[in-house]
Amino acid sequence: MANNQIRAIDGASVGKICSGQAILDLATAVKELVENALDAGATSIEVRLKEHGLQLIEVADNGKGVEPKDYEALALKYHTSKLSAFSELESLHTFGFRGEALSSLAALSELSVITRTADQSAATRLEYGKTGKLIANTACARAVGTTVAVKELFGSLPVRRQDLVKNVRREVAKLRLLLQQYAVMVGEAQVYASDQAGRTPRVVLVSTSNAGSGLLERVSAVLGAKAASLLQPLEFELPEDGIKVAGLVSKAGCGVKGDKLRQFCCINRRPVELPRGVKTLNDTYKSLYSSLVGLRPLAFLHFELPPGTFDVNVTPDKRSVFIQNEIAIMNALAQALQALWEPSRYRYTLNTAGEMLELQRASQAPTALADVDADAAATQGSIKRSRRSSASLSALEADVSQDDCEDANGADIVAAEMTSRASLAAGRGSHASTLSNSSRAAAASAATASS
């Protein structure tokens, strides 16, 4: 029970208090391990979750590994190889520097590390206690690199653990978004993340699919070719301040909404949260395309700032940042976006004379086809009528011949009829006129014979 005397807090309590601030959630825990892998020079990073990370989190890389001389200090509080004095913070190029990540994970879970350097013939399995002290060291098999395993995250903090279990699916969604930012914006490593729950197949959360280091290529690999097709380059600089900004933003009028929205920012390779940058993007887009309700632009921007002009040591997770002359940078960003997007509001697509001719031909094509079909149908009808006329002519010819033969009763009439038939057969194409002439000839012959 506390009293009025001032005294030091015991080490175990200090570890729990500080560790709970450094490791806020599932996403923060994985982020710290991914950054350690990047600082180790890894070109391949694999994140494996079991039961959404409640049971196990593993991050494996092919980096340089941990030297045996560093085994004891690896998970101790405020021990790091990346920083020795505060003055070095301004020129720091590594992701981590606080020396809190592994010690915090050791205090909040069961921490083990398997590592091997290029000089070692076998890997070593290291197990750490809650205070970060090494408690076990055994040989094992592994390629060069490091695998960090975290079991029962927040097991020592019941309330935090209960909240994680309750909202685990939301936490996995936050982790996926964070890993997408690292996979897209940090181009030197291939990133693969998966989750397996129960007996269901393993679900892929993020995969760079062996994409190159190009920003557009990695956007296509992580977010899909459709998202990449909506983007165009953006680049500007403030030479007097030594500031450069480059990246990709949505094409004019090609915003997205809902869970498809991605607005990622980096400062000197470090993925960060940049609220003013996001606000500038959205406000500029809205001012130009107010009719596109609910849509916002995609953005993947790299800010290159001179050392000493920004501070990332604001929060333990190093996601928040203070920037000198931030207002001037955001104003320049807004001007660059307006120059990129605004001309499209007054641009219209015009068809050339050749295109108009093609459109006219296409529009007239159905009419021409209909005319051809009508002509063909008329021709077929004419042929059918001609055939019916020929058949009627033959029938009428037979009837006339038979009647005349019965009335004539003479050889001359028969001869005349045969002559008429030959004449009709030769001129059958004349149709009714030929029939009329032949009949009159036959009648005249019959009259002559009777007289």
Side-chain angles (χ1 to χ4, degrees), residues 62-68 115-123 142-145:
N62 64 346
K64 61 184 180 181
V66 180
E67 296 287 346
T115 186
R116 177 187 170 186
T117 65
D119 298 332
Q120 293 177 297
S121 58
R142 194 203 188 282
V144 174

Side-chain angles (χ1 to χ4, degrees), residues 105-163:
L105 289 172
L108 300 175
S109 65
E110 299 177 16
L111 179 68
S112 63
V113 178
I114 300 175
T115 186
R116 177 187 170 186
T117 65
D119 298 332
Q120 293 177 297
S121 58
T124 304
R125 177 183 174 83
L126 310 170
E127 296 182 14
Y128 295 90
K130 296 299 181 182
T131 61
K133 291 184 178 180
L134 181 63
I135 58 177
N137 182 335
T138 56
C140 63
R142 194 203 188 282
V144 174
T146 302
T147 301
V148 180
V150 176
K151 294 182 179 180
E152 300 292 328
L153 181 63
F154 298 131
S156 58
L157 300 176
V159 177
R160 190 81 66 88
R161 175 71 180 184
Q162 183 180 5
D163 182 74

